[in-house]
Amino acid sequence: MIGAAMIGTAMIGAVDIGGTKIAVGVVDGGRVLDKTEFPTDVPSGFETAMRRIGTALRECAQHAGVKLDGIGIGCAGQLDAATGLLGSVNNLPGWEHCNPVEILAKEFGLPVALENDADAVALGEVQWGALRSKSRLVFVTIGTGIGASVILDGKIYRGVRHSHPEIGHLIIDPAGPMCTCGAQGCWESLASGPAMAQWAKQNAPADRANLDLTARQLCALAEQGDEWAQRAVEHEARYLGLGLANLVDIFVPQAIILGGSVMKSAHLFMDRIRRVIEQNCCLVPYECVEIVLASLGADVGLIGAAEVWRHRFERCGGRIE
Ligand SMILES: [Zn+2]
C-alpha cells in the first residue's frame, strides 16, 4: 500500500482540522513544501469541507511538483483512529459520525490515517522537534482548551477501544468552575486561555469590571506591570503547575513539552510552574523531568498530521496497536 516511496521519504498530504480553520499542505520529512488554509465553515457541512480539502491537497501537490504517497489527518475532538469516524466534537457540531478517512482514501486511492490533533502534534514534536531522542514524553497544548498526548517508546499511548485520554479534563478542583464537558473543576476549566480570561473578569477591580480581555491581552498588560493582570498570570501559572504536577506524578516522563497559544507567553509562567511541581511532586525525581516549550512553530499542525501517516504506515505496519 505504501507504494514505491522509501521509508521516511514519502510525500504526505497533511490535513489539520480545527474548529476555526483547516490547514492543508504537502510535507516531506518534516518540511512543509506547500500549504494553504481556509475557514472550517462548520455550518456549510462536512461534505463541503471535504471537497475543499480534496481540492487544496491536489493544488498543494501540484505547486510542490510531487505525487502524494499518503494522507495524514489531525482533527480536534473525539474520534476513532481505527475506523476514521469522528465522534462528538464541541467545535464541529453536526460532523459526528462523519468519516474523513473513508472519503479521502476513496477520492485519492491512497492510504489515509487519522488521529486526535494533540496526538498528531506530539508525534511531530517527537520526530522533528528538539527532544527527538527521548522516548517517554507528554505533550500538552494550552490554548482554547487543554489537549495532551502521551508518547511511550515513540508510540501513542491509547486507552481501551483505542481511546485518546482526556488529560485536559483531570479534576483539579471539585469546587471549581463548570467545564464544557459537563464535569466541574477540570484542568481545562481552570487553566485554558478562556479560563484565565474568565478568572480575571470575575476578580477585576471595580474600574475594570466591564473589560473583557483575552489571555493574550492580560499577559501583555502583566508585562507592563499591571497588578490585576499579574494576579491573573499568577493564578494561571498556579493551575497550569498543578495539572503538570499531576502528570509528573503519574508518568514521571523524561520531558513534558508545552505548546499552544497561551504558551506564547510562557516566560511569564515558567518559574511559578516549576515551583508548583517542586512543592507537590515529593515522591518522584521531578528534577529529572524536563519542562520545555514546543520547538516546531507555526507548521507543527501540518508536520504532525504528516507524522500521523508515518506513525501508522511506516512504524506500526498500518495497524492500531
Ligand atoms: Zn472537563
Side-chain angles (χ1 to χ4, degrees):
M1 280 294 275
I2 297 177
M6 284 169 59
I7 297 288
T9 62
M11 287 295 167
I12 309 304
V15 183
D16 180 21
I17 304 175
T20 314
K21 72 174 173 68
I22 294 174
V24 173
V26 173
V27 179
D28 158 29
R31 288 178 308 154
V32 177
L33 302 182
D34 195 63
K35 63 178 176 179
T36 183
E37 66 176 54
F38 43 88
T40 308
D41 190 11
V42 177
S44 293
F46 174 75
E47 315 271 307
T48 306
M50 291 312 294
R51 272 197 296 278
R52 295 191 72 179
I53 288 170
T55 305
L57 279 169
R58 271 189 292 278
E59 284 174 0
C60 285
Q62 198 182 5
H63 291 160
V66 300
K67 195 170 152 297
L68 296 180
D69 295 301
I71 297 167
I73 311 168
C75 183
Q78 289 177 19
L79 49 83
D80 185 337
T83 61
L85 278 172
L86 302 185
S88 155
V89 188
N90 270 350
N91 49 13
L92 299 172
W95 290 25
E96 194 172 353
H97 306 311
C98 292
N99 194 324
V101 170
E102 214 169 75
I103 289 181
L104 291 179
K106 196 170 163 196
E107 184 177 343
F108 286 84
L110 292 172
V112 181
L114 167 78
E115 298 286 357
N116 173 278
D117 55 356
D119 285 328
V121 166
L123 289 173
E125 278 288 338
V126 167
Q127 198 62 26
W128 303 105
L131 292 175
R132 64 185 81 167
S133 61
K134 313 271 188 205
S135 61
R136 288 155 197 277
L137 297 161
V138 180
F139 185 93
V140 184
T141 308
I142 304 127
T144 312
I146 295 184
S149 173
V150 180
I151 305 283
L152 296 177
D153 299 324
K155 295 195 174 157
I156 298 170
Y157 170 81
R158 299 181 201 276
V160 67
R161 286 171 57 204
H162 320 300
S163 51
H164 169 78
E166 287 292 345
I167 287 171
H169 298 273
L170 285 173
I171 308 291
I172 301 289
D173 176 3
M178 285 305 296
C179 181
T180 52
C181 74
Q184 193 174 350
C186 296
W187 192 19
E188 178 171 303
S189 75
L190 288 156
S192 64
M196 180 181 174
Q198 192 188 9
W199 185 89
K201 191 165 172 61
Q202 285 166 349
N203 292 276
D207 61 334
R208 304 280 183 81
N210 294 322
L211 270 184
D212 264 316
L213 298 187
T214 63
R216 177 176 290 202
Q217 289 167 324
L218 285 162
C219 287
L221 209 54
E223 282 188 301
Q224 292 163 23
D226 183 274
E227 192 261 341
W228 165 58
Q230 284 176 341
R231 278 196 297 128
V233 163
E234 187 70 10
H235 183 268
E236 171 70 11
R238 173 156 185 261
Y239 281 94
L240 280 177
L242 287 172
L244 293 171
N246 283 341
L247 296 185
V248 170
D249 271 340
I250 295 168
F251 296 105
V252 205
Q254 288 168 307
I256 297 179
I257 309 173
L258 305 176
S261 56
V262 171
M263 281 299 110
K264 287 183 179 152
S265 303
H267 60 286
L268 297 176
F269 304 118
M270 291 306 278
D271 285 351
R272 177 73 194 249
I273 284 173
R274 290 202 169 92
R275 272 206 310 282
V276 174
I277 290 172
E278 199 179 310
Q279 286 160 359
N280 290 283
C281 299
C282 307
L283 302 177
V284 296
Y286 66 84
E287 66 281 5
C288 301
V289 179
E290 288 184 56
I291 310 289
V292 297
L293 296 178
S295 59
L296 288 183
D299 282 336
V300 69
L302 288 175
I303 292 171
E307 280 310 309
V308 164
W309 188 89
R310 289 181 208 282
H311 181 261
R312 181 81 54 84
F313 292 104
E314 292 183 347
R315 290 195 284 281
C316 296
R319 292 181 303 278
I320 299 247
E321 62 291 338

